[in-house]
Every structure is written in structure tokens, then in C-alpha cells.
Amino acid sequence: MTDVSMQNVLASPPRGDPSWFHLVNQIFVGMFVAEVLLRLAAKRLDFVYGIDWKWNTFDFILAAYCLAEELLTGFSITYTRLLRGFRMVRVLRVIRVMRLFRELRLMVCSIIQSMVSLSWALLLLLLIMYLFTIIFMHGATLYFQQDSGKEDVRHALEAWYGTVGRSMYSLLLAVTGGEDWYQIAEPLGDINWLYQILFAFYVLFVVIGVLNVLTSAFVQRACELSRLDRDLAIQSELVSDESFVAEMKSIFEEV
């Protein structure tokens, strides 16, 4: 539906969404709201105070938003414009699917539980990039102070290392594949060949050293989470029991 909406907007002249779009959306919203209301009626207080109260609250808020969007759309221009700004909230429906798949739930939970570690990891990367930024900008500043510098080299240094933000962005592109790091390091060679060696060391240090250490930390965190998460542990036990029962049946059948 999103792809069709985009094609309609990009058409010349722009076309509106077909009438069945609204009908299909109403059907999905109705089914979603009915599911939440049935669970609320079945669980009652456990819906709010039970083990899955976080998921239930998330579903209730999302259902209330979708229902309000359907009721207020076309009722008032002010409400309609306001709801259009929050239309991306409907994408959060996809998050509900992760409860049904163990691997998907593990990955999403690992990301959520690792947000603190991820923040420290990003801070570490920023500090490393800032350190090398100061070194490279110092060399570029010395080159700009020379009257015998080449004009093309000056333009390249200004493009890659003109400011602190631009220099850090250039270093980020070098280690993430956004730009060929040889092009970023090439003007540094006209300053001194040591700067190119230092730039190569920066790339190797971040890509091979820092990123691999951070990846191993996240993998270890995911393994710990898979043992601590209650639902994941239950699913693991169920899978183990099913395999055990299947093996026992095959043994008795052979006997």
C-alpha cells in the first residue's frame, strides 16, 4: 500500500489513493482493536498487572491511536493534519510480530538491552575519530600556512578536513565504506607520508580492532539475554521437549 501511495503521489498529475485503501485499512484496524479488546476482557486486571503488561500497554496505545485516526480522519482539517504527522506510528505494528518468532525476538531484545553498551561504544568511536581528527587537521593547518602548497591539494584538504565536523565525517566514511579511504588519505600524503601511514593505522585499528571487539561484546550480551529472558527460555525448553519426545517415539517404534 505504501508503494502504491508513493506512485500515486509521483504521478503527473498526482492521483489520490483508491477507495479500497481506506476500506482495507479499516478492516485491519477493526481486527486489531477487536483483538486488544478480547484480550482485555479475558485477562481483566492481568492485562495491566500481568507478566506481559508492557506488550499489552503497547498494543492498547497503538490500537487507540489507530482507532482515533480512523474516527477523526475527514472530521476536522486540524485533526487530520495532526494525525498525518503521526502516521508513521502505524509502522510500530510490525514490532508486535517479533513476539511470535524466537530469533527475531532475540535480536530485537538484544538491541534494546544493549542500548547502554551501544551508547558507550558510539562514544568510544567518537573519541577515537576526534583524536585522529585533531592530528590530521593539525597537519592540514600547517600545510595551509605554507605559501608553496599546491592548489588542488589545498582544495582536497579543505573538502575533507576543513572543519572538525567535516573531518570526523570523513573519518566515518573511511571506516564504513561510504567513501574510498584512499581518496581521503591521498591529500595527507602531500603534507607528509607519515600522515598516510597514520591514516592507514586508523582504518586498521577501527575496522579490525574496535569494531570486532564491540561485535563480540554484543554477541556475548545476546547469549546472556537468551538465557535470562523468560519467554525465550520457555520456548527453548519446549523445543527441547519436542525433540526428546520425537526421539522416544522413534525408539519405541523400532522396538
Side-chain angles (χ1 to χ4, degrees):
M1 295 177 66
T2 303
D3 182 67
V4 176
S5 298
M6 178 61 70
Q7 297 300 323
N8 292 334
V9 173
L10 295 178
S12 182
R15 300 188 301 267
D17 293 335
S19 57
W20 60 268
F21 264 41
H22 189 58
L23 177 61
V24 172
N25 190 66
Q26 285 181 336
I27 293 175
F28 278 111
V29 170
M31 296 173 60
F32 183 30
V33 173
E35 178 197 353
V36 175
L37 292 178
L38 289 175
R39 282 196 282 128
L40 179 60
K43 294 184 178 181
R44 297 183 181 180
L45 293 179
D46 287 339
F47 187 86
V48 181
Y49 299 103
I51 299 177
D52 296 329
W53 69 271
K54 294 181 181 179
W55 284 111
N56 295 332
T57 305
F58 173 78
D59 290 342
F60 182 81
I61 295 175
L62 190 57
Y65 169 80
C66 295
L67 183 61
E69 182 184 18
E70 291 299 324
L71 294 177
L72 297 178
T73 299
F75 177 75
S76 172
I77 297 178
T78 304
Y79 286 125
T80 302
R81 291 177 178 176
L82 179 63
L83 289 174
R84 284 178 180 175
F86 293 95
R87 185 163 291 181
M88 289 187 62
V89 177
R90 295 184 298 179
V91 181
L92 296 177
R93 299 175 188 172
V94 182
I95 300 179
R96 301 176 67 250
V97 182
M98 74 179 188
R99 291 184 296 173
L100 306 177
F101 302 97
R102 181 179 185 275
E103 289 78 9
L104 181 59
R105 176 185 174 86
L106 176 60
M107 287 187 290
V108 175
C109 291
S110 300
I111 294 175
I112 295 175
Q113 295 294 331
S114 302
M115 289 302 297
V116 176
S117 301
L118 179 61
S119 301
W120 285 110
L122 293 178
L123 179 60
L124 175 62
L125 288 176
L126 287 176
L127 290 176
I128 294 174
M129 288 190 294
Y130 180 76
L131 174 63
F132 283 92
T133 292
I134 298 302
I135 296 175
F136 296 142
M137 288 189 66
H138 178 71
T141 302
L142 294 178
Y143 188 84
F144 286 140
Q145 292 175 352
Q146 297 177 3
D147 297 332
S148 59
K150 299 179 182 178
E151 192 66 24
D152 57 340
V153 177
R154 289 176 175 269
H155 287 300
L157 289 174
E158 184 179 359
W160 296 116
Y161 309 99
T163 62
V164 174
R166 194 181 303 171
S167 301
M168 294 183 67
Y169 183 67
S170 301
L171 296 182
L172 178 64
L173 293 177
V175 297
T176 56
E179 191 70 35
D180 188 2
W181 68 270
Y182 175 77
Q183 297 180 1
I184 303 176
E186 186 177 8
L188 295 176
D190 293 308
I191 303 175
N192 195 298
W193 59 272
L194 291 176
Y195 284 103
Q196 281 188 326
I197 296 179
L198 187 61
F199 195 95
F201 171 77
Y202 159 76
V203 174
L204 293 175
F205 176 71
V206 174
V207 174
I208 299 179
V210 178
L211 295 183
N212 285 332
V213 171
L214 297 179
T215 302
S216 62
F218 288 140
V219 171
Q220 181 180 1
R221 180 63 178 171
C223 294
E224 294 176 356
L225 179 64
S226 63
R227 292 192 298 265
L228 297 177
D229 189 271
R230 181 185 61 86
D231 293 339
L232 294 176
I234 292 175
Q235 292 181 7
S236 300
E237 291 296 331
L238 291 176
V239 172
S240 178
D241 292 342
E242 290 177 358
S243 61
F244 176 75
V245 171
E247 291 179 359
M248 294 301 296
K249 286 183 178 179
S250 62
I251 293 175
F252 283 109
E253 287 177 357
E254 292 178 356
V255 174

